[in-house]
Amino acid sequence: MSIGGILSRSIWVFHFASGPCNNCDIEILDALTPRFDLERFGIKLVGSIKHADCMLVTGMINVKGAPRLKYLYDMAPKPLAVVAVGGCACSKGIFKDSYYTRGPVDRIIPVDAYVPGCPPRPEAIIDGIVKVVKKLRSV
Amino acid sequence: MVLFYYVVFPGFLAVFVAGGIASWVERKLTARIQARVGPPFLQPFYDIKKLFIKEITIPEHSTRSIFMFSPVVAFAAVTVVSTIVGLNLINRAYGFNGDLIVCVYLLLIPSVCVVLGASASGNPLASLGASREIKLVLSYELAFWTSLAIPVLKTHQLKLASIMGFQAQNGAIASSLSGIIAFIVAIICMQAKLARVPFDIPEAETEISGGAYIEYSGPLLGFFKITQYMMLVILPLFLLEIFWGPVNSPVGILKYLLLLFIIIVLENTNPRLKIDQAVKFFWFGLFPLGVIGIILAMLGM
Ligand code: SF4
């Protein structure tokens, strides 16, 4: 099996939140519940960026969060896929005119997949992960 | 031939494959208990393979050599134990005098390595995990040794093979009163040695995010994972050899599956203890129970 094939079968996800309204975070947890059960695809949530293969970013990135996001990205073991979840992370969303935003995510680190929605449904998050899987398989 | 024993059967490769399957059973059953579907059969092996193609990151403020060596040493120690325990299963002639004590010491090394590696990584959460791991080791090890003293008292042997031979003639140790007490104490200590819920205090995903393992990535984390898989097989087998022999028959596999089932059910029906609760539980709950078992064993019960 190719490197991408293996990577796509065991994706450990680290969740980074910086200034979300918290809805997106709850939808991400929803994707792990019995109804959707992402562990079927070998996806699990880990607590340390050092274990992660994929970073989910939610929220408009605020002034405090931006340098930390960059720092986490730099210290993660590569290859690492980045997914921007929610309207905020993709395009600042409702926080467009906020004085406190430094987002969206792709202004700070490269993003592999966008999941728009406010908040995106768990199906949409799974769809975003499928996009990442396809991208990994084609490596 | 010796190399074959260590690397292929019954050492590393056989136990690793069995451990991967056991780990899958654990994850699948857990998922079913939570009404989920659960991971595919090869998932543990995918995880390991993936970890071995990832990058190794070494923290800036770590002590490099200890950080790099401790996962490998943990892995090596478990490989040696599995060879000793496995060879005893195949043929009792392979044992040597005192291998029981050697095994218990070797089974302690992975915990020591976790503590060393975590302290060397220079991460505050990891050092919290290390301090908890040390306290946990101090608490369960006492109860574990008292439980192991009972079969030794009953058989007057320090050799795994002789203990198994004794059981083949006189019935399992666990069929006597003191034996069953020792077996129960040992099973609970095993849960702590495997760092499963309710004793997963050093890892505690939800509060100190992986704790002792937090700075490990790629192959180094992979070695720790392999160690955990192998421990999941070798520790129950070791207890079976001592308390509930003979194991080298198809019934032995059923006995192992029963122990695995007990581990999984305990894991899924308990909340995590706090470290002070765990220390109290082992020192003031299980240790006296073990001492009562020793007294009973001396009275010949
Ligand atoms: S995208 Fe919507 S739901 Fe998600 S964090 Fe932003 S405002 Fe909240």
Side-chain angles (χ1 to χ4, degrees), chain A residues 1 3 6-7 9-10 12 32 34 37 39-40 42 45-48 50-53 75-79, chain B residues 27 34-40 43 46-47 49-50 53-55 57 205 209 213-217 221 225:
Chain A
M1 203 179 290
I3 287 184
I6 271 295
L7 280 176
R9 274 170 197 279
S10 156
W12 292 1
L32 299 169
D37 187 24
E39 208 195 357
R40 283 180 291 164
L45 219 51
V46 292
S48 161
K50 297 286 170 73
H51 306 174
D53 309 298
M75 105 180 154
K78 306 290 175 304
Chain B
R27 286 174 71 175
Q34 298 168 352
R36 292 188 285 116
V37 178
Q43 190 59 48
Y46 290 147
D47 285 352
K49 202 169 162 195
K50 178 208 69 183
I53 56 177
K54 294 274 288 188
E55 184 189 358
T57 56
E205 283 278 329
S209 55
Y213 303 111
I214 190 165
E215 288 289 348
Y216 278 100
S217 67
L221 183 63
K225 285 271 171 219

Side-chain angles (χ1 to χ4, degrees), chain B residues 100-129:
Chain B
L100 174 73
I101 295 180
V102 172
C103 278
V104 181
Y105 272 117
L106 285 174
L107 284 172
L108 183 62
I109 290 184
S111 307
V112 176
C113 286
V114 168
V115 172
L116 278 180
S119 327
S121 73
N123 182 308
L125 288 181
S127 62
L128 202 59

Side-chain angles (χ1 to χ4, degrees), chain A residues 20-24 59 86-88 94-95 117-119:
Chain A
C21 76
N22 242 253
N23 259 335
C24 281
C88 290
I94 56 168
F95 299 105
C118 184

Side-chain angles (χ1 to χ4, degrees), chain B:
Chain B
M1 200 58 201
V2 174
L3 205 64
F4 177 80
Y5 286 151
Y6 277 115
V7 178
V8 184
F9 187 86
F12 162 62
L13 210 61
V15 177
F16 170 57
V17 170
I21 296 172
S23 166
W24 172 77
V25 170
E26 183 191 3
R27 286 174 71 175
K28 185 81 180 174
L29 259 181
T30 306
R32 294 310 301 161
I33 289 173
Q34 298 168 352
R36 292 188 285 116
V37 178
F41 182 63
L42 288 177
Q43 190 59 48
F45 302 106
Y46 290 147
D47 285 352
I48 294 294
K49 202 169 162 195
K50 178 208 69 183
L51 284 173
F52 274 86
I53 56 177
K54 294 274 288 188
E55 184 189 358
I56 299 181
T57 56
I58 294 171
E60 201 178 338
H61 302 292
S62 64
T63 313
R64 226 184 142 89
S65 50
I66 300 180
F67 183 78
M68 305 265 286
F69 272 117
S70 45
V72 184
V73 172
F75 164 72
V78 169
T79 307
V80 176
V81 184
S82 42
T83 313
I84 296 177
V85 172
L87 281 181
N88 269 310
L89 270 187
I90 301 167
N91 187 346
R92 292 210 204 108
Y94 281 112
F96 55 89
N97 220 343
D99 51 5
L100 174 73
I101 295 180
V102 172
C103 278
V104 181
Y105 272 117
L106 285 174
L107 284 172
L108 183 62
I109 290 184
S111 307
V112 176
C113 286
V114 168
V115 172
L116 278 180
S119 327
S121 73
N123 182 308
L125 288 181
S127 62
L128 202 59
S131 105
R132 290 179 179 193
E133 174 88 33
I134 280 261
K135 284 174 200 146
L136 194 62
V137 168
L138 285 180
S139 51
Y140 70 66
E141 208 63 14
L142 185 62
F144 194 57
W145 282 97
T146 41
S147 77
L148 290 182
I150 290 166
V152 174
L153 273 175
K154 283 181 105 64
T155 57
H156 300 288
Q157 294 288 354
L158 274 177
K159 197 174 164 187
L160 276 179
S162 317
I163 294 179
M164 285 164 72
F166 177 89
Q167 295 186 85
Q169 282 166 11
N170 306 344
I173 301 268
S175 60
S176 63
L177 182 61
S178 59
I180 193 80
I181 290 178
F183 196 32
I184 291 172
V185 172
I187 285 178
I188 298 176
C189 292
M190 171 174 76
Q191 192 82 355
K193 260 187 180 307
L194 293 171
R196 293 295 193 269
V197 189
F199 306 113
D200 65 334
I201 312 165
E203 293 177 30
E205 283 278 329
T206 41
E207 48 175 312
I208 52 174
S209 55
Y213 303 111
I214 190 165
E215 288 289 348
Y216 278 100
S217 67
L220 295 179
L221 183 63
F223 275 118
F224 270 136
K225 285 271 171 219
I226 295 177
T227 308
Q228 286 172 355
Y229 290 171
M230 290 172 75
M231 285 287 268
L232 188 56
V233 171
I234 224 58
L235 205 52
L237 274 186
F238 178 64
L239 292 194
L240 283 179
E241 282 188 359
I242 295 175
F243 292 106
W244 199 7
V247 198
N248 43 357
S249 60
V251 187
I253 299 177
L254 285 181
K255 288 177 184 171
Y256 168 72
L257 286 179
L258 183 70
L259 273 197
L260 186 63
F261 186 70
I262 292 177
I263 295 174
I264 299 169
V265 169
L266 276 181
E267 185 180 357
N268 278 296
T269 48
N270 282 291
R272 179 166 56 241
L273 293 177
K274 283 187 287 185
I275 186 71
D276 56 324
Q277 290 169 328
V279 175
K280 272 191 200 126
F281 174 72
F282 279 110
W283 280 8
F284 303 119
L286 281 188
F287 175 57
L289 194 62
V291 173
I292 292 173
I294 290 184
I295 295 170
L296 286 178
M298 285 172 143
L299 296 176
M301 287 161 88

